[in-house]
């Protein structure tokens, strides 16, 4: 197998040369996910309670808000790449394009809500309470 | 073989179900007491918090399984661990780890707390 003709590539039949970058980004984010998700996990389990005041105070602390922002960026980027592979493996033609669009809406939409929510709580926190 | 599909299922599960709940949780905290109460009610109070336990334990298991197979991936990507025996032992180890870690975490949550 060669690399396809110039015409074939123009028609989208050759490699777009995005594969290696995708593969690498998936692994870089896998590494950052590892640390950030473990932190989040421990932090959640260690919270003394899960009522509004407790979680609101916790999220208002930079010690929670900043790593959580990083977690959202890392995890969402990671799963955006992962779900893309899933779609590419099972879907072809028009439905693939539609699902890719949907995936982007989902990732950026939910990511925007998540980041906005974290920052809103963090920026309106009234006390400089140390984290729990 | 089986852990490769587990890696995919757990990753996709966290990416979809996990994301929706995480975003809901964050948005509810940001929106205030009322909204948080709705969330809390759905996951913590309806049917004795059944949905909360289902989601919580399910996500814990997905997380540890995906983490273990993800780390295993790093070794395979580096070209190590392709001998049949080692490969098989490694894949079984990821599942044992995921189950044990999940049990420990939840024993801690339910027992110690
Ligand atoms: C604990 C840290 C994590 C590690 C070490 C990790 C590792 C990996 C690795 C190495 C891959 C690539 C597998 C391949 O190329 O075949 C991958 C794929 C994936 N990851 Fe993660 N991941 C982590 C956390 C997460 C989280 C938190 C999510 C979702 C919220 C997630 C969702 C996915 C998805 C959807 C895929 C694509 C699976 C597929 O269809 O092949 N990962 N992960
Ligand atoms: C992301 C959204 C999550 C929310 C909103 C959430 C919320 C809650 C709420 C409301 C409760 C009930 C608290 C109580 O009855 O004392 C609860 C309990 C619990 N949640 Fe979560 N949780 C979330 C995620 C998680 C995750 C990811 C885990 C585990 C990793 C987890 C672990 C627990 C545990 C362990 C309990 C305690 C059960 C008990 O003490 O009866 N939660 N969570």
């Amino acid at each position: 197998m060669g690399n396809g003709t110039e015409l074939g590539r123009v028609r989208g039949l050759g490699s777009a040369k995005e594969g290696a970058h995708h593969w690498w980004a998936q692994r870089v984010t896998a590494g950052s996910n590892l640390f950030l998700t473990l932190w989040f996990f421990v932090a959640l389990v260690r919270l003394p309670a899960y009522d509004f005041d407790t979680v609101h105070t916790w999220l208002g602390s930079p010690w929670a808000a900043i790593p959580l922002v990083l977690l959202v960026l890392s995890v969402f980027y990671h799963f955006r790449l992962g779900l893309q592979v899933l779609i590419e493996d099972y879907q072809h033609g028009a439905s693939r394009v539609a699902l890719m669009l949907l995936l982007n809406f989902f990732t950026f939409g939910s990511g925007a809500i998540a980041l906005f929510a974290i920052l809103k709580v963090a920026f309106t926190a009234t006390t400089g309470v140390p984290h729990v | 073989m089986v852990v490769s599909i587990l890696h995919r299922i757990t990753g996709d599960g966290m990416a979809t179900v996990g994301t929706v709940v995480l975003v809901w949780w964050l948005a509810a905290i940001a929106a205030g007491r009322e909204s948080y109460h709705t969330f809390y009610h759905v996951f913590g109070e309806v049917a004795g918090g059944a949905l909360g336990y289902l989601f919580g334990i399910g996500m814990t298991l997905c997380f540890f399984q995906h983490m273990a197979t993800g780390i295993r991936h790093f070794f395979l990507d580096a070209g190590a661990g392709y001998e049949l025996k080692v490969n098989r032992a490694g894949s079984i180890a990821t599942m044992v780890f995921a189950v044990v870690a999940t049990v420990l975490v939840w024993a801690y949550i339910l027992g110690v707390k």
Side-chain angles (χ1 to χ4, degrees):
Chain A
M1 292 272 282
N3 292 321
T5 61
E6 295 287 329
L7 182 59
R9 217 174 286 139
V10 169
R11 284 177 176 151
L13 301 175
S15 163
K17 306 207 166 65
E18 282 288 329
H21 175 252
H22 179 119
W23 188 93
W24 180 238
Q26 181 104 56
R27 270 138 193 88
V28 172
T29 51
S32 44
N33 278 358
L34 186 59
F35 292 102
L36 294 164
T37 53
L38 279 175
W39 160 78
F40 182 49
F41 210 81
V42 172
L44 270 187
V45 172
R46 286 190 59 225
L47 278 180
Y50 302 92
D51 60 288
F52 179 77
D53 292 312
T54 312
V55 293
H56 194 262
T57 307
W58 175 73
L59 194 55
S61 153
W63 293 100
I66 292 171
L68 208 50
V69 164
L70 292 175
L71 180 142
V72 168
L73 294 175
S74 174
V75 168
F76 282 44
Y77 186 17
H78 179 84
F79 82 59
R80 158 73 187 72
L81 292 170
L83 291 182
Q84 177 183 339
V85 175
L86 180 81
I87 294 169
E88 286 169 349
D89 282 354
Y90 301 124
Q91 297 291 329
H92 304 278
S95 66
R96 179 193 279 197
V97 177
L99 281 170
M100 284 298 188
L101 273 175
L102 195 67
L103 172 60
N104 283 327
F105 288 141
F106 175 70
T107 310
F108 287 97
S110 58
I113 300 171
L115 293 176
F116 177 83
I118 298 167
L119 295 178
K120 182 188 171 203
V121 174
F123 289 161
T124 54
T126 44
T127 48
V129 253
H131 78 112
V132 192
Chain B
M1 205 18 230
V2 67
V3 292
S4 145
I5 198 67
L6 274 180
H7 187 76
R8 168 159 284 186
I9 293 170
T10 52
D12 298 340
M14 288 190 292
T16 50
V17 182
T19 297
V20 168
V21 177
L22 175 72
V23 171
W24 183 2
W25 183 59
L26 291 172
I29 299 174
R33 212 171 284 278
E34 290 273 291
S35 312
Y36 191 74
H37 185 77
T38 308
F39 179 92
Y40 192 97
H41 182 68
V42 171
F43 285 95
E45 290 169 354
V46 173
L51 211 55
Y53 285 111
L54 186 69
F55 174 80
I57 297 176
M59 276 300 137
T60 310
L61 191 57
C62 280
F63 170 71
F64 282 127
Q65 179 64 52
H66 189 88
M67 187 181 95
T69 38
I71 292 171
R72 177 171 177 267
H73 234 288
F74 291 148
F75 288 96
L76 295 179
D77 290 342
Y82 281 95
E83 303 79 7
L84 278 184
K85 268 206 182 122
V86 180
N87 194 281
R88 199 177 140 74
S91 73
I92 292 174
T94 64
M95 293 185 274
V96 174
F97 165 78
V99 172
V100 171
T102 303
V103 170
L104 286 181
V105 166
W106 282 86
Y108 174 79
I109 293 168
L110 299 178
V112 178
K113 280 200 164 178

